[in-house]
Amino acid sequence: MNHKTDIDISEFHSDIKKAIKLIGGLDESPTDEKLLDLFNQNGINENHAIEILTFLPIAFVRKMLPKMDWRESYIEQLSDKKRRSKQFSENQFYSIIESETKIYFGNRPESEVILKIAGRSVEFKVINDLLLKNENADIAEIKFTENIIIRNE
């Protein structure tokens, strides 16, 4: 799967909305591969699907828990082992996903859908694990490192 920076903005907005509906309608939490297949079967552009799968859970958990001290950057790991730090705000895909997330949250969002999507994020899993293991944990004291996003180029 190649990561491309070409983007049809209106198609991407549409694909994000479609992905939210698809994930929201699932009874189980499929693997990333099965979710990519579902996206593909429902006409979501393959490159868009990869970006949605990568960034939609991050955007949802950040919107769901806005008071957390979220990092503004992430590390992109390329297949040739090169790493580069990137700002979420400089990633056009993430920016569009974030704007669609704000729209979704602003239109009477379904809590079950939010949990299905946010629950796919590493951040949500870490917070959940910490709170389950330590009943005295203070969510406000959790500090995150930069996400590492591995790209197959």
Side-chain angles (χ1 to χ4, degrees):
M1 290 184 258
N2 291 332
H3 167 67
K4 295 192 177 185
T5 55
D6 302 355
I7 184 170
D8 176 330
I9 293 174
S10 65
E11 181 187 9
F12 190 55
H13 279 280
S14 175
D15 285 348
I16 295 164
K17 291 174 188 165
K18 194 182 298 182
I20 291 170
K21 285 183 183 172
L22 288 169
I23 296 169
L26 295 172
D27 291 329
E28 77 286 345
S29 181
T31 63
D32 288 349
E33 292 78 18
K34 286 185 180 180
L35 199 51
L36 283 173
D37 286 344
L38 179 66
F39 289 172
N40 187 347
Q41 291 165 9
N42 284 275
I44 295 176
N45 173 299
E46 182 180 356
N47 291 314
H48 294 177
I50 293 166
E51 298 305 315
I52 292 166
L53 185 68
T54 303
F55 292 111
L56 186 63
I58 295 170
F60 263 61
V61 77
R62 287 172 177 235
K63 186 70 176 163
M64 183 177 128
L65 301 170
K67 295 190 191 288
M68 295 296 298
D69 185 21
W70 299 114
R71 300 292 301 255
E72 297 300 320
S73 60
Y74 63 96
I75 296 171
E76 193 168 68
Q77 170 82 48
L78 304 175
S79 56
D80 61 6
K81 303 295 181 207
K82 287 185 184 172
R83 287 182 163 204
R84 58 183 174 207
S85 184
K86 296 182 89 174
Q87 297 293 313
F88 282 103
S89 62
E90 294 173 352
N91 179 318
Q92 186 178 15
F93 290 106
Y94 182 80
S95 295
I96 294 169
I97 289 170
E98 185 179 49
S99 75
E100 283 297 331
T101 298
K102 287 178 184 173
I103 291 167
Y104 181 79
F105 273 73
N107 290 321
R108 292 199 259 194
E110 295 180 46
S111 58
E112 187 177 319
V113 174
I114 292 170
L115 285 174
K116 285 180 181 180
I117 296 173
R120 296 187 68 81
S121 75
V122 172
E123 297 89 341
F124 184 90
K125 291 172 184 163
V126 166
I127 292 167
N128 197 40
D129 286 349
L130 284 171
L131 295 177
L132 287 173
K133 291 177 184 172
N134 183 354
E135 62 188 47
N136 297 323
D138 181 356
I139 194 169
E141 292 183 16
I142 296 173
K143 303 287 183 222
F144 288 96
T145 59
E146 289 178 307
N147 294 53
I148 298 176
I149 295 174
I150 299 172
R151 297 280 189 189
N152 297 322
E153 299 260 4

